[in-house]
Amino acid sequence: MAQQSFNVMIIGQAGRLQYEALLFAASLRHSSPNFSGRVFVAVPQPGPLWDKDPSIRSAPVLDVLQRLDVEILPFESKIFGSKYPYGNKIEALQALPEGEPFVFFDSDTLITGDLEAVPFDFSRPSASLRREGTWPKPTLYGPGYTEIWRALYERFGLDMDATLDLSQPDEFWKRYLYFNAGFFYGACPRAFGKRFAVYAQSILKDPPPELIGQSLDPWLDQVALPLVIHSFGGGRDALPTGYLDGETSCHYRLFPLLYARESNAVVDLLQQVAAPNWIKKVLKAYDPIKRLVYQGRGERVRALFDQNHLPRREQAIRNRIKSEGLWER
């Protein structure tokens, strides 16, 4: 059966994200030239929830995105805005075409393979499993993982037991359904986004007592996401491994981390898609990209590490880069 057509959405706004969005689009067109869906850069519009105008106003950036056949998708921030910009990915879903399957990616992602070869089952949504046990952080005297997560599942009438990975020990974070929100997908963006917004607002405004002492900033989207995915019949095993966060996409997160720990193929791809003059002259307006990609600091970062034997903790990688004066964001 032929792969169902789907749309792709990322967030773009003034500052770093507009340049990440440009690189994402360039990598998609390079690595998946026959992609048949629409590619949207969702852009929050100025309004009372934003301290500054978040929209993309750079004519050169907009011209390159147009040349890459990207559609700018304005949306209004009604819930989150500058107080919680991670909420953009929740609110922007309402602006996508209703009833058309979608894949959301964080803008700090490169497409490294054929997106249409990914065997998505949009009736069973899923999200990125490239994550650490960042939430919750149970205290010594409890409640523990089970009590915290069960309180959330019960809040929304969901069956937590069906989500447990019983190969993992009790009270170990991997036993519980938890994703990175760097990508997720589903059958209808508006239905998915509406439920995502309802769950996130409920958790934020009226957290269950079991969540007392647990931080929701910046974790709110990743707290609500597994609940939303489970509610639509998805889960951790809905997408075969090796595609997204593998051969087909790379969520690098920050450019110094890309050079420090990603494969030679990803570094080569970045250099290749950033090379054309019509792209280079726009990207060079952003100092971290200019220094790391075009002035060679990225290669100096890469030389600090053995990519086959990286420090186990990301903070150690960051500290080493900073100690050498090469950290750029």
Side-chain angles (χ1 to χ4, degrees), residues 132 172 174 261 305-306 309-317:
E132 297 178 347
F172 180 57
K174 284 189 176 181
R261 66 187 182 186
F305 301 94
D306 176 352
H309 300 91
L310 290 167
R312 292 185 63 186
R313 296 191 62 81
E314 181 182 300
Q315 192 60 49
I317 299 175

Side-chain angles (χ1 to χ4, degrees), residues 10 52 65 83-84 98 106 110 117 122 126 141 144 156-157 163-164 186 188 191 204 207 236 243 269 311 313 319 322:
I10 61 173
K52 300 177 181 178
L65 289 173
K83 289 186 177 179
Y84 188 68
E98 186 171 10
D106 272 346
L110 294 175
F122 291 102
S126 195
Y141 300 106
F156 304 110
T163 73
L164 297 176
C188 174
L204 181 64
R236 65 173 64 78
Y243 289 95
L269 174 69
R313 296 191 62 81
N319 291 343
K322 290 174 182 178

Side-chain angles (χ1 to χ4, degrees), residues 6-11 38-43 71-75 88-105 184-193:
F6 58 93
N7 301 320
V8 166
M9 182 187 83
I10 61 173
I11 302 295
R38 299 163 73 184
V39 180
F40 294 97
V41 173
V43 180
E71 300 180 51
I72 300 298
L73 187 71
F75 71 94
N88 282 337
K89 66 184 67 174
I90 300 173
E91 296 198 72
L93 292 169
Q94 293 299 322
L96 283 174
E98 186 171 10
E100 297 183 11
F102 74 95
V103 183
F104 166 84
F105 290 97
F184 54 85
Y185 61 87
C188 174
R190 297 196 185 181
F192 194 102

Side-chain angles (χ1 to χ4, degrees), residues 242 291 327:
R291 295 180 183 128
W327 185 259

